[in-house]
Amino acid sequence: MDEFARLNDLYNLQILDSNPEKKFDELTHLASLICGMPISLVSLIDKDRQWFKSVYGMEIRETLRADGFCHYLLDGTPFFEIKNAEKDKRFKNSPLVTGYPFISYYAGAPIMSTSGQILGALCVIDQKENSLNKNQKEALQILARKATSYLSTRKVFIDQQKHIELSANRLKQILDNTPGVIFQLRIQDNFEISFDFISKGIQEVHPHLSDEKMKAQPKIFLNYIHPDDVEEFRKSMRKSASTLSPYKYNFRVKLNGDNIKWFKVRVTPKRIDDETVVWFGTLMDVSSIMEYETILEQITFDISHVIRKPLTTLLGLNSTLRDHTELSEADLREYSDMINIVIKELDVFTRKLDQFYQLKVVDHHKRV
């Protein structure tokens, strides 16, 4: 027996001192019923103790390893039986025989790890001399193998849970460091809302907001939306939840004083039951985009109004030149001077427009 390898397998199961579990309790109950014994245990042998994952018929949760019976299975014995412990020199002075639970009869089958190490036993106990028939012994061994299978399945489940938790933590870290806000929102038919998840980017939306606050008070976000946008925000939100249509909406968030930020919310809704719709969405700061849209509108206005005058002048001069085929040198010089004036006006305007645009670009890059 390799005690180091055995204990390593036992500790890797992460089962010692764990809470009772129904499937192990059903095994001990079934073992007692099949074998006709008042006590049954799933016993795991630690370095200095034997600890009971499941106990049927008594209150003790662990004993000293040296006082017990189960460690006699560690040499590879497929079945271990003591018909009368009071008459066996190995056990007659054990406190488990001379005192509670007053063991007289013991029968156990080994519980093993996937690598073949013996971890403990599924055993039945009586407080008087007894014995098991062939079928009962075979049944006890089958139940012990079932306990072995449960331990293996339990370890796989724990590993999967850890992997899921690790993946979830990694995903949360990624989402929390993704620009903007990523969220999952539940909307009930009565329009009560709750967040399953919201990334820490919400702190960038307004200094008074946080992911914890949003989860605790989901509707508090409405208090920070610009008053002129709140009602339309509510209406469009209700419409999306009712029709399951994709949701896009631009709105403003109030900051200190008259300062505002523009945000765009994008949502994909999905109904998960008769009363609940889930929103999978993002919230992005589009202030710079909205600012540039305003700039472009202003540029368009300037082009259509400011340039109109010189263009009209050029068109008039062009018409005059076409209508007068015979012009003196003085007339041509006068028309040429007028054209140069218009060209200079256009050049000044385009230079100012270019300077204004470049300043906006620099300002945008600084903020980004």
Side-chain angles (χ1 to χ4, degrees), residues 91-109:
F91 302 106
K92 64 181 182 179
N93 295 320
S94 168
L96 302 178
V97 175
T98 59
Y100 185 82
F102 302 103
I103 298 174
S104 181
Y105 178 80
Y106 172 93

Side-chain angles (χ1 to χ4, degrees), residues 5-34:
R6 190 191 72 79
L7 289 174
N8 187 61
D9 282 1
L10 177 62
Y11 297 153
N12 281 339
L13 290 173
Q14 301 174 54
I15 194 169
L16 294 177
D17 301 308
S18 61
N19 293 325
E21 297 177 44
K22 183 178 179 181
K23 56 189 175 184
F24 290 102
D25 290 342
E26 289 177 342
L27 280 183
T28 52
H29 189 184
L30 188 58
S32 283
L33 290 176
I34 291 172

Side-chain angles (χ1 to χ4, degrees), residues 110-123:
I111 296 173
M112 307 178 74
S113 69
T114 54
S115 66
Q117 299 293 334
I118 298 171
L119 306 178
L122 174 63
C123 60

Side-chain angles (χ1 to χ4, degrees), residues 293-353:
E293 287 182 358
T294 302
I295 293 171
L296 289 174
E297 289 177 1
Q298 184 63 47
I299 291 173
T300 302
F301 175 83
D302 290 342
I303 291 173
S304 63
H305 290 79
V306 178
I307 299 181
R308 183 178 301 170
K309 179 182 175 181
L311 285 178
T312 301
T313 303
L314 284 175
L315 289 172
L317 290 171
N318 182 59
S319 177
T320 300
L321 289 171
R322 283 188 303 174
D323 293 342
H324 295 80
T325 57
E326 296 182 2
L327 292 171
S328 67
E329 184 177 343
D331 290 334
L332 289 174
R333 187 175 294 110
E334 181 182 355
Y335 285 132
S336 176
D337 290 341
M338 292 175 66
I339 290 171
N340 283 332
I341 291 172
V342 173
I343 290 173
K344 287 180 179 179
E345 288 180 355
L346 286 173
D347 183 61
V348 170
F349 173 74
T350 54
R351 287 177 183 273
K352 288 182 177 180
L353 194 62

